[in-house]
Amino acid sequence: METLNAAELLAALGHESRLAIFRLLVEAGPAGVTASAIGERLGMAPATLSFHLAHLSRVGLITGERESRFIRYSASYATMDELIAFLTRNCCQGEACLPKTACCDTIEKRRADLEKP
């Protein structure tokens, strides 16, 4: 991941509403959530929600898949994984300095945590 791409992703997450949407989708897992359910859970007007979903989709943090009349959104775990790896690459010259992320310090561990029920 290049610095410019990471900055674009972080800027998208730098808005309170987009961060809330992204966290909701991360918690929902790969199955995702419909746009209407996201709006209900976060108390967002449809137009506002649509704007933020479009922004997150445009930068690649989420994906949307049409299901009949609805769109089901899910987090792009691959993009999130790349961003986390970019942010922590060569951290503290290889020393274990992030106790809260030590359990998830490799792609394999993060993916295993995502697959837990």
Side-chain angles (χ1 to χ4, degrees), residues 36-59:
S36 59
I38 295 168
E40 287 174 17
R41 290 186 196 173
L42 299 178
M44 281 189 201
T48 302
L49 178 63
S50 179
F51 171 80
H52 291 305
L53 288 170
H55 189 99
L56 290 168
S57 290
R58 189 171 42 257
V59 298

Side-chain angles (χ1 to χ4, degrees), residues 2-71:
E2 294 183 25
T3 301
L4 186 59
N5 185 241
E8 187 176 47
L9 296 173
L10 291 169
L13 293 173
H15 189 280
E16 181 180 0
S17 295
R18 288 191 291 269
L19 182 58
I21 292 166
F22 185 72
R23 287 186 44 83
L24 185 148
L25 292 174
V26 167
E27 291 171 7
V33 180
T34 61
S36 59
I38 295 168
E40 287 174 17
R41 290 186 196 173
L42 299 178
M44 281 189 201
T48 302
L49 178 63
S50 179
F51 171 80
H52 291 305
L53 288 170
H55 189 99
L56 290 168
S57 290
R58 189 171 42 257
V59 298
L61 284 166
I62 67 172
T63 58
E65 188 171 319
R66 183 165 291 286
E67 289 182 355
S68 181
R69 306 178 330 172
F70 304 99
I71 299 177

Side-chain angles (χ1 to χ4, degrees), residues 90-101:
N90 301 322
C91 182
C92 298
Q93 300 176 358
E95 297 295 319
C97 62
L98 302 170
K100 290 184 180 180
T101 58

